[in-house]
């Protein structure tokens, strides 16, 4: 008997028992669509984050206290604790020194410190993260104002009480009202809203959209803090990144800082760390989905087994009429393969939609 | 020359410690064109006899010759080919494929003998015509009466032009009217020269055969011309 007629026989057998065939496919459909969905969510997230970093520009260097990229590479509890203790070691004036000493290759630099506080506008109050930044944060970190204008270097040097609002904060405090030049209260003090920033988004964790930005000096003065969270530097050219990194390190070491008390890194390093975390996440999601695929597969096996038992009469009859064991086996293999392929493709289709 | 010959054939079923001798050292011979009726009490081994003689079941011992050829030790594949080409089977429960048209049911053996689709349809139509069902080719078994279903089964048994037709109580599930129709059909087949072995409980049906075998405890106790 030709393979083609066995194939047609298998299709007919599936067609005759449509309900059973569809039920069997269901397991595979669910399994495959969840594998495709979950892994593509993971990969999508990774791509999204990489895109976000690409926006930052490849010629940016960061300085943070402590050594988060220590031997393990990840941010363990041990390292975070160490960053806390090393936090006070980086001083505002180092920024100016680095900018002055390496003017030839570093075009600009911004510093960030943070605190938390309560913000109040009319009757709306909210606990909030306050980010103290130098005025050039706008250009160094590519964060533009969509309403109003960034505060100036002058504002920063004089510790003026002006703020930039993250878009979420603006929305929550002001709703439809234009916040520019309105007065808000931070921990009881009056501040003028200079502008609202563009949306940066965030991935579940803290988002810049929820922050209030104010001049670094204002933060230091009003919130009794001296802590620098990070420096970011714009380098003239991508090719000079390593040179700049070395020079910044040397300058900081020259200021009596220990090797462990700060780190200089570019975004590729940061990206690698985040990517590796996301990679694990994607694998995890994939594994979960794979489990449902296995369950789907077992479902198919189970139903095929049931149907073989159920169909012993049919098999017996076919054999009595001259079907060899090979022919019967091939017919059932075709049926199973057809169900898996059809189920798999439907699953991919569903996931795609 | 004999068409089919069973020589000292036994069929034993082992259930736990008990061995059931369904066929016990049985010898039998049938010539071309004969019509043999097989009778005997329930459990006497009639169905087993038919299964072994038709290559559906293997004997525990003894030999089987078909057209003078020893087919006892054929493997499953060759037995399947043999059943397909040489043997037609009619069962008490019709055994048609559900939700499948009469035509496709009749054509099924031809599928396994490798005929092309056009030929399968042509032959199956001829056979349905021969059993008087040319106007029911598209009906599925559940759209046919019991007698009609059994006629489809007979058409299926005939479609590959086999040497012998085995029938195990073909009228057992039918009322007397449809039973009589089936009986007539077998009589006609016999007149056309077909070789038939039929198990039956009814004396009057056995009467249309030319030879009657009585089985008891897996042995032939009488074998006479009628
Ligand atoms: N697959 C089997 N396993 C075990 N014993 C079996 C099997 N098939 C048949 N037997 C036994 O073999 C003996 C003969 O059975 P068989 O079916 O040939 O009887 P029968 O003459 O056809 O009976 P009936 O007229 O009721 O159909 C019985 O005792 C039966 O129990
Ligand atoms: Mg029986």
């Amino acid at each position: 008997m030709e393979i083609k007629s066995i194939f047609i026989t298998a299709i007919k057998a599936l067609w005759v028992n449509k309900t059973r065939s569809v039920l069997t496919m269901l397991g595979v459909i669910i399994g495959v669509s969840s594998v495709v969905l979950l892994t593509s969510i993971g990969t999508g997230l990774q791509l999204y984050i990489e895109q976000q970093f690409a926006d930052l520009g490849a010629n940016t260097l960061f300085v943070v206290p402590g050594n988060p990229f220590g031997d393990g590479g990840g941010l363990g509890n041990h390292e975070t604790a160490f960053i806390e203790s090393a936090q006070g070691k980086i001083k505002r004036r180092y920024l100016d020194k680095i900018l002055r000493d390496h003017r030839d290759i570093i075009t600009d630099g911004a510093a960030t410190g943070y605190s938390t506080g309560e913000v109040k506008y009319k009757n709306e109050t909210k606990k909030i993260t306050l980010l103290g930044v130098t005025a050039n944060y706008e250009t160094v970190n590519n964060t533009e104002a969509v309403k109003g204008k960034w505060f100036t270097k002058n504002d920063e040097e004089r510790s003026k009480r002006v703020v930039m609002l993250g878009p979420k904060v603006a929305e929550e405090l002001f709703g439809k009202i234009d916040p520019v030049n309105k007065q808000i209260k931070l921990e009881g003090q009056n501040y003028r809203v200079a502008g609202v920033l563009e949306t940066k988004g965030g991935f579940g964790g803290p988002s810049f959209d929820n922050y209030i930005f104010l001049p670094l000096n204002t933060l230091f003065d009003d919130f009794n803090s001296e802590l620098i969270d990070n420096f970011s530097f714009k380098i003239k050219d991508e090719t000079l990144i390593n040179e700049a990194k070395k020079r910044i390190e040397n300058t900081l070491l020259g200021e009596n800082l220990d090797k462990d008390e700060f780190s200089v890194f570019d975004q590729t390093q940061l990206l690698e760390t985040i990517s590796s975390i996301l990679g694990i996440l994607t694998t995890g999601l994939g594994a979960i989905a794979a489990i449902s695929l296995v369950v789907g597969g077992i479902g198919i096996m189970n139903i095929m087994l049931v149907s073989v038992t159920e169909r012993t009469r049919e098999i017996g009859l076919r054999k009595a009429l001259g079907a060899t064991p090979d022919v019967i086996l091939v017919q059932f293999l075709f049926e199973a393969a057809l169900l898996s392929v059809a189920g798999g493709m439907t699953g991919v289709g569903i996931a795609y939609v | 020359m004999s068409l089919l010959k069973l020589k000292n054939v036994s069929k034993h079923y082992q259930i736990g410690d008990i061995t059931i001798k369904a066929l016990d050292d049985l010898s039998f011979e049938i010539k071309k064109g004969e019509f043999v009726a097989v009778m005997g009490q329930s459990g006497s081994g009639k169905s087993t006899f038919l299964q072994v003689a038709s290559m559906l079941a293997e004997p525990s011992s003894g030999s089987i010759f078909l057209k003078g050829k020893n087919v006892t030790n054929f493997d499953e594949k060759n037995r399947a080919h043999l059943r397909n080409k040489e043997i037609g089977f009619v069962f008490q429960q019709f055994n048609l494929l559900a939700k499948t048209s009469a035509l496709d049911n009749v054509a099924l053996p031809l599928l396994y003998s490798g005929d092309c689709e056009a030929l399968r349809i042509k032959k199956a139509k001829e056979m349905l015509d021969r059993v008087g069902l040319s106007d029911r080719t598209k009906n599925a078994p559940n759209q046919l009466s019991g007698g009609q279903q059994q006629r489809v089964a007979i058409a299926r048994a005939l479609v590959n032009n086999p040497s012998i037709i085995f029938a195990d109580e073909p009228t057992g599930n039918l009322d007397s009217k449809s039973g009589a129709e089936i009986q007539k059909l077998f009589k006609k087949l016999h007149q056309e020269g077909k070789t038939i072995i039929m198990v039956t409980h009814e004396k009057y049906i056995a009467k249309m055969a030319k030879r009657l075998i009585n089985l008891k405890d897996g042995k032939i106790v009488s074998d006479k011309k009628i």
Side-chain angles (χ1 to χ4, degrees):
Chain A
M1 187 185 177
E2 310 165 63
I3 288 290
K4 198 184 126 205
S5 11
I6 307 181
F7 188 69
I8 293 170
T9 312
I11 291 179
K12 275 187 185 161
L14 290 177
W15 183 250
V16 161
N17 289 293
K18 291 179 216 57
T19 328
R20 189 177 63 204
S21 307
V22 169
L23 282 177
T24 313
M25 282 196 308
L26 216 58
V28 181
I29 293 176
I30 292 170
V32 168
S33 53
S34 53
V35 168
V36 175
L37 260 182
L38 291 181
T39 44
S40 56
I41 285 173
T43 338
L45 202 62
Q46 213 159 348
L47 277 178
Y48 174 72
I49 288 172
E50 278 164 17
Q51 182 56 44
Q52 295 279 314
F53 274 91
D55 285 351
L56 264 181
N59 54 344
T60 312
L61 275 180
F62 302 93
V63 178
V64 296
N67 186 11
F69 296 99
D71 302 329
L75 283 160
N77 280 333
H78 174 73
E79 281 95 349
T80 10
F82 189 71
I83 293 170
E84 299 283 336
S85 72
Q87 205 136 38
K89 298 282 169 65
I90 296 186
K91 302 277 192 275
R92 169 77 168 86
R93 62 186 162 84
Y94 300 161
L95 177 74
D96 302 325
K97 183 168 170 48
I98 291 169
L99 286 174
R100 210 177 326 113
D101 288 0
H102 310 295
R103 207 174 307 164
D104 51 333
I105 56 169
I106 299 176
T107 54
D108 208 353
T112 311
Y114 69 89
S115 182
T116 53
E118 201 177 71
V119 60
K120 188 168 180 214
Y121 175 71
K122 290 190 175 156
N123 295 322
E124 297 285 341
T125 28
K126 200 170 145 38
K127 267 274 175 211
I128 205 142
T129 301
L130 303 166
L131 216 57
V133 297
T134 46
N136 52 7
Y137 185 89
E138 172 185 10
T139 46
V140 179
N141 291 52
N142 289 338
T143 310
E144 282 173 30
V146 287
K147 277 182 195 151
K149 278 205 178 83
W150 266 94
F151 48 76
T152 59
K153 200 164 160 58
N154 195 13
D155 293 331
E156 199 228 321
E157 272 161 9
R158 296 186 189 180
S159 299
K160 284 255 181 79
R161 288 186 171 139
V162 288
V163 295
M164 300 298 291
L165 299 181
K168 278 240 179 73
V169 189
E171 166 88 40
E172 278 165 17
L173 289 180
F174 289 92
K176 291 219 153 47
I177 306 166
D178 183 6
V180 177
N181 289 328
K182 297 276 181 333
Q183 295 286 324
I184 58 168
K185 279 196 157 76
L186 289 180
E187 296 290 311
Q189 288 280 2
N190 274 321
Y191 286 76
R192 182 178 64 85
V193 177
V196 178
L197 300 175
E198 62 181 327
T199 304
K200 281 284 180 180
F203 349 97
S207 158
F208 287 110
D209 297 353
N210 286 323
Y211 291 174
I212 288 182
F213 297 71
L214 61 164
L216 189 60
N217 281 335
T218 317
L219 182 85
F220 286 173
D221 289 354
D222 289 359
F223 292 85
N224 218 354
S225 160
E226 279 283 296
L227 300 184
I228 293 289
D229 189 51
N230 70 62
F231 291 156
S232 42
F233 293 103
K234 266 256 165 3
I235 314 302
K236 217 177 213 158
D237 193 291
E238 270 180 57
T239 51
L240 295 169
I241 284 269
N242 285 328
E243 162 81 7
K245 201 162 159 182
K246 215 168 275 151
R247 288 217 223 157
I248 292 171
E249 270 167 7
N250 283 335
T251 307
L252 289 175
L253 288 172
E255 294 291 332
N256 284 333
L257 276 181
D258 257 359
K259 244 175 87 182
D260 274 351
E261 288 172 335
F262 70 93
S263 6
V264 184
F265 59 90
D266 59 64
Q267 56 131 330
T268 49
Q269 230 170 321
L270 195 59
L271 190 57
E272 271 165 28
T273 312
I274 292 182
S275 285
S276 74
I277 295 170
L278 279 174
I280 295 167
L281 188 79
T282 311
T283 318
L285 287 176
I288 293 170
I291 290 171
S292 53
L293 188 64
V294 168
V295 170
I298 291 175
I300 275 214
M301 275 167 21
N302 193 25
I303 295 188
M304 283 318 272
L305 192 69
V306 168
S307 90
V308 167
T309 330
E310 219 177 62
R311 290 165 72 186
T312 39
R313 282 186 74 86
E314 181 194 329
I315 294 170
L317 176 70
R318 287 180 185 274
K319 279 185 162 176
L321 297 181
T324 60
D326 294 353
V327 167
I328 299 280
L329 182 68
V330 172
Q331 181 192 331
F332 271 77
L333 282 180
F334 270 142
E335 286 186 27
L338 277 169
L339 287 176
S340 321
V341 169
M345 295 207 301
T346 318
V348 170
I350 287 176
Y352 187 77
V353 173
Chain B
M1 194 189 76
S2 63
L3 180 59
L4 175 72
K5 186 171 161 189
L6 274 66
K7 208 173 142 198
N8 305 109
V9 166
S10 296
K11 177 76 182 172
H12 296 168
Y13 292 112
Q14 189 78 38
I15 295 186
D17 296 341
I18 310 161
T19 307
I20 300 165
K21 294 180 176 174
L23 291 183
D24 190 7
D25 198 26
L26 177 146
S27 294
F28 167 82
E29 218 173 303
I30 187 170
K31 290 197 184 64
K32 191 169 181 309
E34 272 192 287
F35 188 165
V36 180
V38 181
M39 295 191 80
Q41 285 176 347
S42 183
S44 56
K46 304 182 295 294
S47 296
T48 311
F49 169 67
L50 239 54
Q51 282 163 20
V52 170
S54 66
M55 303 275 147
L56 275 177
E58 280 182 274
S60 311
S61 64
S63 345
I64 302 170
F65 299 85
L66 186 75
K67 295 177 171 171
K69 196 155 129 209
N70 189 340
V71 296
T72 323
N73 296 317
F74 270 28
D75 64 7
E76 192 46 52
K77 192 175 164 190
N78 285 318
R79 295 167 71 84
H81 289 320
L82 209 72
R83 286 196 295 269
N84 184 251
K85 296 266 188 260
E86 304 286 353
I87 282 148
F89 220 113
V90 180
F91 306 89
Q92 183 175 354
Q93 301 89 345
F94 321 140
N95 283 353
L96 299 174
L97 283 185
K99 300 178 200 169
T100 306
S101 72
L103 191 75
D104 281 351
N105 263 296
V106 174
L108 196 56
L110 300 174
L111 187 70
Y112 296 119
S113 45
D115 287 358
C116 73
E117 193 178 358
L119 190 61
R120 293 203 299 265
I121 293 175
K122 184 173 165 277
K123 284 188 185 173
K125 273 194 171 140
E126 273 169 26
M127 282 310 137
L128 280 170
D129 194 29
R130 202 161 151 190
V131 298
L133 285 177
S134 44
D135 54 345
R136 295 283 192 280
T137 52
K138 292 209 168 64
N139 292 43
N142 61 343
Q143 298 161 336
L144 293 168
S145 75
Q148 286 169 337
Q149 287 183 58
Q150 193 61 301
R151 280 192 277 164
V152 172
I154 292 170
R156 183 180 63 190
L158 292 170
V159 78
N160 236 348
N161 195 23
S163 311
I164 311 180
I165 293 161
F166 291 86
D168 195 347
E169 297 184 47
T171 57
N173 271 8
L174 298 174
D175 59 60
S176 54
K177 186 171 164 282
S178 351
E181 277 173 29
I182 298 300
Q183 189 194 345
K184 252 200 293 198
L185 193 53
F186 273 102
K187 201 165 188 168
K188 194 178 117 200
L189 291 177
H190 173 54
Q191 277 156 6
E192 287 167 11
K194 292 278 169 205
T195 313
I196 302 168
I197 301 179
M198 180 196 284
V199 170
T200 181
H201 277 289
E202 321 281 353
K203 265 260 156 53
Y204 76 96
I205 290 177
K207 267 188 194 134
M208 69 179 172
K210 295 285 146 57
R211 181 178 162 197
L212 177 65
I213 289 178
N214 259 296
L215 281 184
K216 197 181 177 207
D217 299 332
K219 289 189 173 82
I220 296 179
V221 289
S222 78
D223 182 349
K224 56 195 178 217
K225 289 225 153 56
I226 45 174

